[in-house]
Amino acid sequence: MSVVTGGEDKEHRNGEENMAAWLLGIKTLKIQPYHLPALGPHDVKVQIKALGICGSDVHHFKTMRCANFIVKKPMVIGHECAGIIEEVGSHVKSLAVGDRVALEPGISCRRCDLCKNGRYNLCREMKFFGSPPTNGSLANKVVHPAYLCFKLPDNVSLEEGAMCEPLSVGIHACRRANISPETSVLIMGAGPIGLVTLLAARAFGAPRVIIADVDDIRLSIAKNLGADEIIQVSTNIQDVGEEVVKIQNAMGSGIDVSFDCVGFDKTMSTALNATSSGGKVCLIGLAKSEMTAPLIPAAAREVDVIGIFRYRNTWPLCIEFLKSGKIDVKPLITHRFGFSQQEVEDAFETSARGGTAIKVMFNL
């Protein structure tokens, strides 16, 4: 099956097929032709060289939906990517053929009030790689606006460039929470987003970071990445009170900011109860569309709840942190796969199983 998404590019007219990983149904991925739109004057064509699997990709793979985003027709999957510029539009001056770039995957309208006020991540017309109905970037090549492609320094690899996307979530959260050298931090969840939030908090100067999770393997990874204390918690909401005391004792002082990188009733309840009066709780994990949490007691202590949705204006800072060595994302990449039908299937199954898999990376 061949799915046409726009005007055919010259490669296709010359008989060269651009291939992509299409999500056709629950746990059904197939590498098939992907016909790119014609290159616009402000666009670039990028050969994708590195792409990481995100938790949202896994949700789409397993259930054909992620939160309120539902896959209703075949869709190219993937959005955490980097590659090499193959062609530039006639008006592009900032990039050249051969440049290595990290791609920010969301194209906002740039016209609405949210976009004009700088909060483009909240644009209602956002077209985001691999978020239905927009095709993603697990493909040989994609066409993308030049302004969303960021040149990588020589000492930053293409894999690290692809990691700018998940790292951006942690960077945006730390900005929203005003993390500084005076901020003690609790992180609920030691999955990929919890771990990049740990790295970001450290880069922003947080002097003490505690991370809690149900999985001892992921907690050991968090410890190796620099968490001051790790706390293993249960899935039983009846344990919240006891675990809050354990977390507060481990911090040894007040918890200024908590990041819930999971989004369950229990993780949010723990974060709200553990955070000091006057502190902040950032909800990053969007596991459920609704939750039950003790907001009234938290409000009575003026604990602010801050929503986090993706990111905005983060790629330059991510690249600077990677270039300077202030953040090292390489230990997060635990599994690597090529771009064949079997490897695409194996990679998604590996990521879906979890366990020791943190970031599963494709090398194209």
Side-chain angles (χ1 to χ4, degrees):
M1 184 181 75
S2 176
V3 182
V4 178
T5 60
E8 293 181 338
D9 71 357
K10 68 182 182 184
E11 259 98 358
H12 181 64
R13 292 196 303 271
N14 292 339
E16 295 178 20
E17 291 270 48
N18 179 49
M19 306 300 284
W22 291 86
L23 179 63
L24 304 180
I26 290 175
K27 292 193 173 183
T28 306
L29 288 163
K30 190 170 183 182
I31 295 180
Q32 297 181 152
Y34 177 27
H35 302 157
L36 295 176
L39 189 74
H42 299 283
D43 296 334
V44 292
K45 184 181 293 178
V46 183
Q47 298 176 19
I48 299 299
K49 293 296 183 183
L51 183 141
I53 298 178
C54 173
S56 64
D57 297 325
V58 173
H59 280 294
H60 288 136
F61 172 68
K62 291 169 68 174
T63 67
M64 294 290 281
R65 69 180 298 160
C66 183
N68 294 324
F69 296 95
I70 303 169
V71 182
K72 297 180 180 178
K73 64 179 182 177
M75 179 186 79
V76 178
I77 203 163
H79 61 271
E80 302 178 0
C81 59
I84 299 172
I85 301 288
E86 179 182 278
E87 188 178 352
V88 299
S90 58
H91 293 176
V92 175
K93 307 299 181 189
S94 58
L95 295 169
V97 172
D99 282 347
R100 299 157 60 255
V101 293
L103 284 68
E104 181 173 350
I107 306 172
S108 63
C109 77
R110 309 179 83 183
R111 299 183 304 273
C112 69
D113 287 343
L114 287 164
C115 284
K116 289 190 286 188
N117 290 331
R119 306 190 76 173
Y120 67 86
N121 58 312
L122 305 177
C123 175
R124 295 178 185 88
E125 296 181 33
M126 178 70 77
K127 295 178 174 62
F128 192 93
F129 275 157
S131 183
T134 305
N135 283 320
S137 54
L138 183 47
N140 298 129
K141 300 172 187 180
V142 298
V143 169
H144 206 50
Y147 79 94
L148 293 172
C149 298
F150 297 85
K151 189 172 178 179
L152 296 172
D154 291 341
N155 69 333
V156 176
S157 71
L158 287 161
E159 286 190 340
E160 291 172 285
M163 290 294 293
C164 284
E165 200 281 340
L167 180 58
S168 284
V169 177
I171 296 290
H172 180 54
C174 286
R175 279 178 171 168
R176 291 267 287 152
N178 294 318
I179 301 300
S180 76
E182 298 180 335
T183 314
S184 60
V185 170
L186 165 66
I187 297 172
M188 300 300 299
I193 294 301
L195 295 175
V196 294
T197 303
L198 162 64
L199 296 176
R202 281 290 194 226
F204 275 71
R208 191 160 175 80
V209 182
I210 289 179
I211 193 160
D213 198 281
V214 298
D215 190 314
D216 58 348
I217 294 174
R218 297 204 163 188
L219 285 172
S220 66
I221 294 170
K223 186 68 173 175
N224 290 336
L225 287 172
D228 293 293
E229 298 285 348
I230 53 174
I231 306 289
Q232 189 162 15
V233 293
S234 76
T235 57
N236 186 352
I237 200 161
Q238 302 301 320
D239 295 333
V240 166
E242 179 183 332
E243 290 171 355
V244 163
V245 172
K246 193 174 178 182
I247 288 166
Q248 290 174 329
N249 288 340
M251 182 64 79
S253 60
I255 295 169
D256 301 308
V257 174
S258 293
F259 295 103
D260 182 357
C261 299
V262 182
F264 290 155
D265 293 2
K266 182 173 186 284
T267 53
M268 193 60 174
S269 296
T270 302
L272 288 167
N273 284 313
T275 303
S276 297
S277 297
K280 300 170 186 172
V281 173
C282 288
L283 178 56
I284 302 175
L286 303 177
K288 299 169 66 178
S289 58
E290 293 183 3
M291 66 164 58
T292 301
L295 281 178
I296 301 304
R301 297 190 297 110
E302 293 193 354
V303 174
D304 295 339
V305 177
I306 298 173
I308 303 295
F309 187 65
R310 294 177 180 155
Y311 36 68
R312 55 179 177 264
N313 302 313
T314 50
W315 259 252
L317 183 55
C318 286
I319 291 170
E320 181 57 36
F321 279 150
L322 295 172
K323 177 185 175 182
S324 67
K326 203 166 186 181
I327 288 180
D328 181 8
V329 293
K330 294 188 291 294
L332 298 179
I333 304 169
T334 54
H335 295 73
R336 291 176 172 85
F337 292 86
F339 188 53
S340 67
Q341 179 65 41
Q342 188 61 55
E343 287 178 292
V344 166
E345 293 173 5
D346 291 346
F348 272 86
E349 290 292 352
T350 298
S351 189
R353 279 195 303 270
T356 59
I358 299 298
K359 183 57 61 179
V360 176
M361 184 72 65
F362 289 103
N363 295 129
L364 286 80

